[in-house]
Amino acid sequence: MSILKELNAILDTVGISVETGVFSGKAPDEYAVITPMGDNFGGYADNAPQYEIQEARISLYSKDNYQKRKNQIVKSLLAAGITVTDRRYIGHEDDTGYHHYAVDAAKEYFLSEGDEV
């Protein structure tokens, strides 16, 4: 499993159009873009990593009030066992009319024998 797959599934159940990296095509009045931010190893034993921490940013774009949707996303992430590491209002994009709000998320994935690293 990966954080990208989990975030896509969560945002899909919340009912938000979502893509990874950049939104292609005509954007709706509200959508999200997931950007991978990093993956690190943690918890070593016998000189081998025991888990990987994957991080990604969800950028919510909304032409309306984004507060309700932001709260819905955060609650859904927490309920799914995903850590919210940061939340912040990026700003209003005057040229497009979208409010941009970012939610940074992270999750640990335990490595098992045979996992590629």
Side-chain angles (χ1 to χ4, degrees):
M1 185 61 83
S2 74
I3 196 166
L4 295 177
K5 286 182 183 178
E6 288 196 59
L7 294 178
N8 271 287
I10 290 167
L11 293 172
D12 188 47
T13 61
V14 171
I16 298 175
S17 297
V18 61
E19 291 196 27
T20 301
V22 66
F23 201 89
S24 59
K26 182 169 173 21
D29 286 351
E30 182 178 71
Y31 67 95
V33 173
I34 300 171
T35 306
M37 293 175 47
D39 47 16
N40 303 300
F41 291 126
Y44 288 84
D46 295 329
N47 295 325
Q50 300 301 299
Y51 59 89
E52 176 181 47
I53 303 167
Q54 296 180 16
E55 299 177 86
R57 171 170 283 172
I58 301 168
S59 292
L60 173 65
Y61 296 93
S62 179
K63 289 190 175 183
D64 297 320
N65 187 337
Y66 62 90
Q67 292 289 334
K68 182 178 176 184
R69 187 61 90 175
K70 170 205 56 158
N71 292 334
Q72 188 180 26
I73 291 170
V74 169
K75 286 179 184 177
S76 296
L77 294 173
L78 296 173
I82 294 175
T83 302
V84 175
T85 59
D86 193 27
R87 302 179 305 168
R88 67 181 61 226
Y89 183 72
I90 304 300
H92 185 266
E93 298 177 354
D94 294 334
D95 57 332
T96 63
Y98 286 100
H99 292 279
H100 180 184
Y101 192 88
V103 178
D104 293 349
K107 186 165 181 185
E108 294 178 358
Y109 294 91
F110 289 94
L111 301 173
S112 59
E113 195 170 320
D115 284 346
E116 288 188 32
V117 287

